[in-house]
Amino acid sequence: MKKIFKTLIAILPALVAVAYTEAPEETPVTNNGELKEITLKVTPDVITKTIYTDGAGLHWDAENDGTKFGVADNTNGSHTSTAIAVAEDGTATITCGVAAGATKIYPIYPKLDNLGVNEGCATAYFQIHAAQTQAVAGVMESGDGKLAMTTAEPLEVTEGSNTYNAKMVNHSAIARFIIYSTSGVEDKVKSVKFEAVTAERINGKLIAICNWNDAPANHWFGAEGNKSTTVTLDTAYDLNGINSKENAKGIYMGVIPGTVTGYSYTITTDKGTYVFSTEGAKEF
């Protein structure tokens, strides 16, 4: 098969992790009791902006992310954000109620229904999807399925202060596929599939655990998941005139962290399907 595409895979590493074999026991919680309203200024804690939105950084969504943040507190409280304001640079300020007596909080994004807390820790469950979507090439969107974000450790609640800065670390890895052609092709890319040979899984459950005793949050992932992930574009990516990595636009994939030895990626366009394989190693 004639290789008409050139593809680079840039990787944003995940937070260094410690593997666990089971989740801690949880105490069912409610939001009953006296609450106080706080605001969190949330930014992604990344070393480089090039991975997100082709250099523009991760932008939260003012329309859809208002109730997707969660905040656990050390009184066994589990809370959901109620409002969000997004600045032009994509950073966000969220509003959330927490227990009035809380001394530590743990912000989470995106919050799924099963957020557990007990006296020792808070546990956030995420899902890295095997089937992922992206509206257009070049834009790394917020939302579930790719991201698994928390602060690296709990934030201290201080008396008299209701505003806190939350730098969110991503526990998943983000792969950015940069596809271009030096052969003058006019294909329109519809999807990219990445399939590992040796990895146990590259998608599935990912769990972040925050210990209230000042230990940093760590993560582990469960048995669910498989070795193949596909990102499908809502609007096909036109390769006409895209002849270098400098003018290529990224396609973003959330991946369970780890190292794969041997993998393939499949590019599906409006004109055909192209499969490229290697026995080399790739670290996510």
Side-chain angles (χ1 to χ4, degrees), residues 218-238:
N218 299 298
H219 81 260
W220 64 280
F221 53 91
E224 298 88 349
N226 57 57
K227 299 180 180 182
S228 175
T229 298
T230 300
V231 178
T232 301
L233 296 172
D234 294 342
T235 300
Y237 171 33
D238 191 348

Side-chain angles (χ1 to χ4, degrees), residues 7-25:
T7 306
L8 300 176
I9 307 176
I11 305 298
L12 176 65
L15 181 70
V16 174
V18 174
Y20 290 82
T21 56
E22 61 181 13
E25 294 184 3

Side-chain angles (χ1 to χ4, degrees), residues 15 40 69 120 131 137 158 168 176 192 194 208 212 233 260 271 275 281:
L15 181 70
L40 293 172
F69 283 84
T158 56
M168 308 294 286
R176 176 181 179 234
V192 174
F194 186 90
W212 296 123
L233 296 172
V260 300
K271 293 181 171 57
V275 181

Side-chain angles (χ1 to χ4, degrees), residues 117-134:
V117 293
N118 61 29
E119 292 182 359
C121 65
T123 306
Y125 296 83
F126 304 98
Q127 194 74 28
I128 306 303
H129 294 171
Q132 302 176 13
T133 60
Q134 184 173 324

Side-chain angles (χ1 to χ4, degrees), residues 3-236:
K3 184 175 180 180
I4 60 173
F5 299 125
K6 294 182 183 292
T7 306
L8 300 176
I9 307 176
I11 305 298
L12 176 65
L15 181 70
V16 174
V18 174
Y20 290 82
T21 56
E22 61 181 13
E25 294 184 3
E26 297 160 15
T27 303
V29 296
T30 66
N31 287 341
N32 295 333
E34 183 181 357
L35 300 179
K36 68 175 182 179
E37 186 177 86
I38 64 169
T39 57
L40 293 172
K41 296 180 178 179
V42 291
T43 56
D45 183 16
V46 295
I47 298 173
T48 175
K49 294 173 67 175
T50 57
I51 273 292
Y52 289 126
T53 316
D54 292 347
L58 176 65
H59 282 221
W60 273 285
D61 187 335
E63 183 176 350
N64 297 312
D65 281 341
T67 57
K68 286 188 177 180
F69 283 84
V71 179
D73 68 49
N74 63 339
T75 70
N76 291 2
S78 170
H79 315 280
T80 302
S81 58
T82 56
I84 188 171
V86 180
E88 290 186 4
D89 63 357
T91 59
T93 301
I94 66 166
T95 303
C96 188
V98 299
T103 59
K104 295 180 181 179
I105 57 175
Y106 184 49
I108 295 154
Y109 176 88
K111 180 191 175 187
L112 302 180
D113 291 337
N114 49 348
L115 169 62
V117 293
N118 61 29
E119 292 182 359
C121 65
T123 306
Y125 296 83
F126 304 98
Q127 194 74 28
I128 306 303
H129 294 171
Q132 302 176 13
T133 60
Q134 184 173 324
V136 296
V139 178
M140 170 65 192
E141 301 156 314
S142 59
D144 59 358
K146 298 182 183 182
L147 297 171
M149 306 185 83
T150 71
T151 51
E153 56 188 15
L155 302 180
E156 297 282 346
V157 176
T158 56
E159 187 175 353
S161 177
N162 292 323
T163 301
Y164 301 91
N165 293 318
K167 287 190 175 182
M168 308 294 286
V169 296
N170 188 28
H171 297 275
S172 67
I174 300 296
R176 176 181 179 234
F177 292 84
I178 309 166
I179 302 171
Y180 61 97
S181 173
T182 57
S183 303
V185 302
E186 296 182 352
D187 288 59
K188 296 180 180 180
V189 178
K190 299 168 66 176
S191 67
V192 174
K193 180 174 78 171
F194 186 90
E195 187 164 10
V197 175
T198 59
E200 186 175 1
R201 63 187 64 84
I202 62 170
N203 55 54
K205 184 183 292 184
L206 193 154
I207 300 175
I209 300 172
C210 169
N211 297 307
W212 296 123
N213 60 355
D214 296 326
N218 299 298
H219 81 260
W220 64 280
F221 53 91
E224 298 88 349
N226 57 57
K227 299 180 180 182
S228 175
T229 298
T230 300
V231 178
T232 301
L233 296 172
D234 294 342
T235 300

